[in-house]
Amino acid sequence: MPGGLAFVSGADRVPGSQEEEPIDRDRIDSFNHSLARWYEQNRRRLPWRETREPYPVWLSEVMLQQTRVETVLAYYPRFLSRFPTLEALAQAPLSEALKLWEGMGYYARCRNLHKAARLVMERHSGRFPWSFEEVVALPGIGRSTAGAILSFVHEQRLPVLDGNVQRVLIRLHRIEQDPGRAAVRARLWRLAQEMVDRSHSPGVFNQSMMELGALICTARAPRCSACPVSGHCQAWACGDPSGLPLVKRAKPLPHYDIGVGIIWHEGHVLIQLRPEKGLLGGLWEFPGGKREPGEEIPDTVRREIREELGIEIEVTAPAVVVRHAYSHFKVTLHAFHCHWLSGTPSPRAAQGWCWVKPERTEEYAFPQANRLILEHIRQEGRSGAG
Ligand code: SF4
């Protein structure tokens, strides 16, 4: 085995082998010591690290699951200022929480947070639970998030295995296998557990591993020359850190053309509320739907509005084209100005609908792509004359 590593003593493991790795505890102690010293001197001062209250720590962990720190720094204080306690969040309607989440994406996180706050009120009399089993039973909290919350707040010896920590461990141990495989995940959890077990403070250890992944052992260009634990790293010793973790080539995302109606009536536009479950659940949007093969977009808009809302419209003029990518597909929204002609909206799938003046749409939570349509309406200053 070349160079310095890691925490496994003895011969190399057979790839895919289920055997337990012999752990060199002195090496773990030396690693933990170097990491803790680096963290103390280099950690970012982030607001959620200034508290040991479970609710704000939980909130920050949920926000950080799929969002960059810089973005969370803007959303986190606003959310906490409106909902300073778990109880305040539980008592508020979901629509208010979604409004504060607007623009951050992955709205299931917000719906689960809100649902979990209500469950904590019901099941635990408003006190965030202490036990791992009770915490992972809450919606939106997996093993890694539970480990983060309980180690940061209560110093429980639970590992974290988010994307940053996983990358660091894979490079430290030069694991050249697909991290999506269950056996590889189990190995990573075991290694993380061994390390947190030997740490002086589980909370600080987990934070420092996450920070190392975020600041030094980054995905594209790891800064190995500045790394406090390079002497323990197999990937560094072998000269190939940026080749790990192995990534599967992503399939191209499917693309859909969507016809969208901005339906005007007496200076108001029609918006509808998406079902609570599923993509963008609980957010407002302009009605519309997928173009069928060979269909002209204005025909798509007329057909979708008739099928989804049961009303007749006239499509009057193109408004704006918005492109947007979700995690599993891409869309191009072709928004058209329309006039309401006849019928009372009777949504087939939406939870509700309303006529609203464009200047009042700020009060509703919209997905990002619909926000761009609203911005266009405001800039254009269209009054609904069609
Ligand atoms: S030496 Fe490089 S690859 Fe290894 S842990 Fe440090 S930054 Fe990551």
Side-chain angles (χ1 to χ4, degrees):
M1 180 187 306
L5 150 83
F7 316 122
V8 183
S9 55
D12 280 350
R13 294 175 72 248
V14 178
S17 130
Q18 297 298 312
E19 74 194 68
E20 290 286 317
E21 288 163 294
I23 299 293
D24 184 334
R25 294 196 166 74
D26 289 342
R27 282 195 166 180
I28 294 183
D29 291 347
S30 161
F31 174 94
N32 284 0
H33 180 70
S34 302
L35 184 65
R37 204 173 41 196
W38 171 82
Y39 181 68
E40 181 54 36
Q41 290 165 4
N42 294 280
R43 73 190 183 98
R44 291 167 293 179
R45 303 282 187 254
L46 301 170
W48 45 89
R49 289 185 180 156
E50 306 302 319
T51 177
R52 289 203 163 198
E53 287 297 317
Y55 168 63
V57 170
W58 169 34
L59 174 65
S60 68
E61 282 303 309
V62 172
M63 285 186 166
L64 288 162
Q65 277 168 7
Q66 269 118 343
T67 305
R68 294 165 57 83
V69 165
E70 295 72 26
T71 306
V72 173
L73 280 169
Y75 280 82
Y76 173 83
R78 279 204 299 266
F79 201 93
L80 264 190
S81 147
R82 170 61 189 88
F83 305 119
T85 61
L86 189 153
E87 186 175 7
L89 174 61
Q91 284 172 352
L94 172 63
S95 57
E96 268 193 62
L98 284 169
K99 181 66 195 163
L100 285 165
W101 209 273
E102 189 185 49
M104 202 160 40
Y106 297 97
Y107 296 94
R109 293 180 297 173
C110 183
R111 294 195 300 273
N112 283 331
L113 185 76
H114 184 260
K115 193 171 170 190
R118 291 188 165 175
L119 285 173
V120 172
M121 295 305 295
E122 282 167 32
R123 290 182 192 163
H124 306 289
S125 310
R127 291 182 66 81
F128 194 83
W130 272 66
S131 87
F132 175 78
E133 290 70 24
E134 286 172 320
V135 173
V136 284
L138 293 170
I141 301 186
R143 180 175 176 186
S144 185
T145 302
I149 298 167
L150 292 172
S151 64
F152 301 165
V153 173
H154 301 305
E155 292 291 353
Q156 292 187 27
R157 291 203 177 274
L158 294 166
V160 167
L161 195 56
D162 69 355
N164 281 326
V165 177
Q166 176 171 292
R167 185 171 59 254
V168 172
L169 286 174
I170 283 174
R171 288 172 175 168
L172 281 173
H173 294 270
R174 199 160 173 263
I175 296 173
E176 297 178 288
Q177 293 162 282
D178 176 3
R181 280 180 50 197
V184 178
R185 289 287 295 170
R187 183 181 174 197
L188 291 168
W189 276 112
R190 196 165 56 243
L191 290 166
Q193 184 70 63
E194 290 278 355
M195 293 163 83
V196 83
D197 280 346
R198 302 287 302 173
S199 67
H200 176 65
S201 155
V204 170
F205 171 77
N206 284 332
Q207 292 273 19
S208 57
M209 284 289 279
M210 294 158 89
E211 196 77 334
L212 186 73
L215 300 183
I216 301 287
C217 195
T218 52
R220 292 222 174 97
R223 296 168 51 215
C224 300
S225 55
C227 178
V229 293
S230 56
H232 298 275
C233 181
Q234 277 197 62
W236 169 236
C238 293
D240 61 355
S242 51
L244 294 174
L246 296 185
V247 280
K248 279 196 200 151
R249 188 175 301 181
K251 285 190 205 151
L253 295 179
H255 171 266
Y256 306 109
D257 283 304
I258 308 288
V260 174
I262 306 166
I263 306 169
W264 292 92
H265 181 51
E266 296 179 349
H268 293 67
V269 290
L270 193 151
I271 57 174
Q272 64 179 16
L273 182 59
R274 290 180 66 89
E276 200 152 295
K277 290 206 172 118
L279 181 74
L280 308 174
L283 296 178
W284 290 84
E285 66 178 3
F286 291 104
K290 274 186 210 166
R291 171 160 72 165
E292 289 188 348
E295 197 174 38
E296 296 293 326
I297 293 281
D299 294 333
T300 304
V301 176
R302 264 188 296 274
R303 176 182 55 73
E304 284 286 340
I305 302 296
R306 188 180 298 128
E307 287 173 6
E308 295 297 321
L309 287 166
I311 62 173
E312 293 301 323
I313 56 162
E314 178 192 4
V315 178
T316 55
V320 64
V321 174
V322 172
R323 291 179 179 80
H324 193 74
Y326 295 97
S327 52
H328 293 92
F329 62 93
K330 294 180 186 175
V331 288
T332 302
L333 304 185
H334 305 263
F336 278 76
H337 290 293
C338 309
H339 265 323
W340 171 84
L341 292 177
S342 64
T344 302
S346 163
R348 204 176 65 170
Q351 291 186 64
W353 62 277
C354 66
W355 293 106
V356 61
K357 284 184 179 292
E359 58 270 25
R360 300 287 301 273
T361 51
E362 276 307 314
E363 296 164 25
Y364 301 80
F366 285 87
Q368 181 64 12
N370 274 249
R371 270 275 154 232
L372 295 174
I373 296 174
L374 283 166
E375 258 171 45
H376 171 81
I377 295 173
R378 264 197 295 274
Q379 279 171 11
E380 198 184 35
R382 199 172 185 97
S383 67

